[in-house]
Amino acid sequence: IKAQLLTLGDLLKKYRDEVVVHKRSSAYETIMINAFLRHDMVSLKLSEVKPHHFSNYRDERLKTVSGVTVSRELTIYQHAFKVAIQEWEYLGLSNPLSIIKKPKSHHPRERRLVSNEEDRLLGGCRVSKNHWLIPLVIMAIETGMRRGELLNLNWNDIDLDKQVAHLDMTKNGTKRDVPLSSKAVETLGSLPHEITGKVFPLSPVALRGLWNRVCKRAGLIDLRFHDLRHEATSRFFEKGLNVMEVATITGHKDLRM
């Protein structure tokens, strides 16, 4: 296949349909690519795509989203070109993103629940018509599990007698067992079992909408669902666990995190 015969859109569609579908992050990357496919750039022939096209796109995106988001997007597109060159043998194609400077990541968030915020958060969840929300939030605080890990959790992964949740698919690709506190066990024990086998039958999009409404209802400013993972991790240290013990529970590979 000669690069000059295909457009940037052709490349990204092929990458989405043949590569992304096999990734753990497929849902997120598909959303990113589908959004990018509405950009004027995708009509360019691959032979016409130059670094300045993506640097202009980067600067344009930084006006509306964070540097972390833009960096993730550029990484996706850079890998698409890498696959095309190394595995699909696109003749004469160079990677225009290899020399593009990605935005620097911001400093790690240190947001924790302060004062009566936990009570307000749980109170807002109780008012929600979705009965999965409050147990999901409790589990996030009690276990430190990531959003995706919680939403992918199946009842087959749970052993209430041994008080452990087995995670077979995690963000960093490493299996791990997460100990369940007595509160987590009590919370799980009160839940009905859906026919799907999912502990929390919610989609990421549905959870985002529920979370935004609860935070607005409870008057919680700048609180993200992922902050509950940081809250849980901090509480593990406050209970006297050491760095290695906490990393084993949370799945952090970089101890600096």
Side-chain angles (χ1 to χ4, degrees), residues 116-141:
N116 65 342
E117 285 189 329
E118 183 174 357
D119 291 335
R120 287 158 55 194
L121 173 61
L122 295 177
C125 291
R126 290 188 183 95
V127 177
S128 173
K129 295 180 180 179
N130 191 297
H131 63 276
W132 302 108
L133 185 57
I134 189 165
L136 180 65
V137 168
I138 291 174
M139 283 291 292
I141 296 174

Side-chain angles (χ1 to χ4, degrees), residues 90-228:
Y90 277 32
L91 303 179
L93 182 62
S94 60
N95 196 330
L97 289 117
S98 60
I99 61 173
I100 294 295
K101 185 177 181 181
K102 295 185 177 68
K104 292 183 179 180
S105 299
H106 55 60
H107 295 294
R109 284 174 63 83
E110 298 179 355
R111 181 70 161 89
R112 290 197 62 182
L113 297 172
V114 297
S115 187
N116 65 342
E117 285 189 329
E118 183 174 357
D119 291 335
R120 287 158 55 194
L121 173 61
L122 295 177
C125 291
R126 290 188 183 95
V127 177
S128 173
K129 295 180 180 179
N130 191 297
H131 63 276
W132 302 108
L133 185 57
I134 189 165
L136 180 65
V137 168
I138 291 174
M139 283 291 292
I141 296 174
E142 291 294 313
T143 68
M145 292 167 63
R146 299 177 177 92
R147 181 194 66 175
E149 293 169 347
L150 287 164
L151 295 183
N152 287 325
L153 198 62
N154 287 294
W155 283 110
N156 290 337
D157 304 323
I158 304 293
D159 190 328
L160 293 180
D161 294 329
K162 294 183 179 179
Q163 296 189 218
V164 66
H166 176 69
L167 302 184
D168 193 47
M169 183 66 74
T170 66
K171 181 180 178 181
N172 57 31
T174 304
K175 299 178 181 180
R176 76 177 192 277
D177 289 331
V178 178
L180 302 174
S181 66
S182 56
K183 188 172 183 179
V185 170
E186 179 185 358
T187 299
L188 289 171
S190 67
L191 292 179
H193 288 220
E194 288 285 301
I195 192 171
T196 62
K198 292 284 188 182
V199 178
F200 301 106
L202 290 171
S203 69
V205 174
L207 175 58
R208 187 179 304 117
L210 290 167
W211 180 260
N212 290 338
R213 288 191 291 274
V214 164
C215 287
K216 184 177 181 180
R217 185 184 302 126
L220 298 169
I221 307 300
D222 189 34
L223 182 66
R224 305 173 187 174
F225 189 87
H226 190 77
D227 292 330
L228 302 184

Side-chain angles (χ1 to χ4, degrees), residues 8-18 20-21 25-42 57 61 73 76-77:
L8 175 58
D10 294 330
L11 168 61
L12 292 178
K13 288 176 184 177
K14 181 177 174 66
Y15 178 74
R16 177 196 63 193
D17 298 340
E18 298 184 14
V20 170
V21 290
S25 57
S26 61
Y28 172 80
E29 292 195 23
T30 297
I31 290 173
M32 291 295 99
I33 291 174
N34 287 344
F36 184 72
L37 287 173
R38 295 193 290 269
H39 196 281
D40 293 341
M41 276 177 60
V42 299
Y57 173 78
R61 288 287 284 155
E73 289 183 36
I76 293 171
Y77 310 143

